[in-house]
Amino acid sequence: ETGVTQSPTHLIKTRGQQVTLRCSSQSGHNTVSWYQQALGQGPQFIFQYYREEENGRGNFPPRFSGLQFPNYSSELNVNALELDDSALYLCASSLRQGSRDGYTFGSGTRLTVV
Amino acid sequence: QQQVKQSPQSLIVQKGGISIINCAYENTAFDYFPWYQQFPGKGPALLIAIRPDVSEKKEGRFTISFNKSAKQFSLHIMDSQPGDSATYFCAASPWAGNMLTFGGGTRLMVKP
């Protein structure tokens, strides 16, 4: 059974650019969620996808968008990057219902905006 | 507002001692309370979780105590080891697999 894999592991972008982060869900999981973790803080929920549709969103602006594909993999897109977007972006997969185990997190993508 | 408050921010414990981390929540809709362990450069890993129908859950050296009336829960790490040195996060959600609200984290250092 494979876990959650994210790519790339590190990324440096310039303010104003766009970025796409990728995530492959754990086998058997059908829901994917994205979290932003600033340095020294707890993860903050960005949004969740289930059956290829957004299924909940945290307090993040529309320039944060996502996709979920039929194989349950996912992308996080951030447009018009700002310096404050520098953070560790975590992908987590889960079962929509019936799971006693909650989330499995990936190791994250460290995004630095300069 | 959905918040989870965690304390202390940092904790230093001697090897073999007990580490205690506390969390408090506000939203009574929360029904699933996990604890995550995070090492530098890694994502959070589920350590142990509890639902409010029980007051305590133990797995090995890790115990969650839950006080539903006070809306508080805590993690106890018995016989703390240097390998336990990491950042610990409490979290809460309406059910497992739903949006998690995390506490601010506790950086634990276990001294040999």
Side-chain angles (χ1 to χ4, degrees):
Chain A
E1 179 179 282
T2 59
V4 176
T5 57
Q6 293 187 242
S7 63
T9 56
H10 296 83
L11 200 54
I12 300 175
K13 288 287 189 177
T14 302
R15 187 172 53 183
Q17 285 187 315
Q18 179 265 344
V19 68
T20 297
L21 310 181
R22 295 178 174 82
C23 171
S24 294
S25 301
Q26 178 171 313
S27 175
H29 286 180
N30 57 17
T31 301
V32 65
S33 303
W34 287 90
Y35 287 78
Q36 180 195 66
Q37 186 177 21
L39 199 62
Q41 297 183 23
Q44 298 290 316
F45 175 73
I46 302 175
F47 43 57
Q48 184 180 80
Y49 277 81
Y50 173 64
R51 291 185 175 177
E52 303 175 49
E53 292 190 358
E54 190 177 289
N55 185 48
R57 188 178 186 94
N59 189 26
F60 282 82
R63 58 189 186 85
F64 286 78
S65 63
L67 287 172
Q68 185 185 30
F69 301 99
N71 65 354
Y72 305 124
S73 65
S74 176
E75 288 182 354
L76 165 65
N77 299 288
V78 187
N79 294 320
L81 283 166
E82 301 177 359
L83 296 179
D84 285 348
D85 295 334
S86 295
L88 180 67
Y89 287 85
L90 296 162
C91 173
S93 68
S94 62
L95 279 174
R96 179 72 172 88
Q97 293 180 0
S99 171
R100 297 188 61 83
D101 298 327
Y103 285 116
T104 299
F105 280 89
S107 292
T109 294
R110 172 71 63 186
L111 173 65
T112 302
V113 182
V114 297
Chain B
Q1 184 179 3
Q2 296 186 358
Q3 277 192 328
V4 177
K5 296 181 180 179
Q6 184 172 345
S7 63
Q9 287 185 310
S10 63
L11 184 60
I12 300 174
V13 174
Q14 292 293 326
K15 178 182 176 181
I18 302 174
S19 304
I20 302 174
I21 305 170
N22 301 299
C23 284
Y25 64 98
E26 299 175 356
N27 189 343
T28 55
F30 288 149
D31 196 56
Y32 172 72
F33 302 88
W35 285 88
Y36 285 85
Q37 179 189 58
Q38 186 175 30
F39 292 103
K42 299 294 185 182
L46 180 65
L47 200 58
I48 186 172
I50 196 169
R51 287 176 173 79
D53 52 343
V54 296
S55 61
E56 185 173 283
K57 182 175 181 180
K58 183 177 181 179
E59 290 184 1
R61 297 185 294 110
F62 302 93
T63 300
I64 299 179
S65 297
F66 189 86
N67 185 330
K68 186 174 182 179
S69 60
K71 292 188 284 187
Q72 295 175 348
F73 58 111
S74 60
L75 176 69
H76 292 62
I77 305 174
M78 312 299 287
D79 187 27
S80 298
Q81 300 296 312
D84 296 331
S85 297
T87 299
Y88 292 81
F89 293 96
C90 63
S93 73
W95 43 269
N98 194 251
M99 176 191 101
L100 285 167
T101 300
F102 281 86
T106 297
R107 180 174 287 185
L108 171 66
M109 179 184 297
V110 181
K111 288 192 169 183

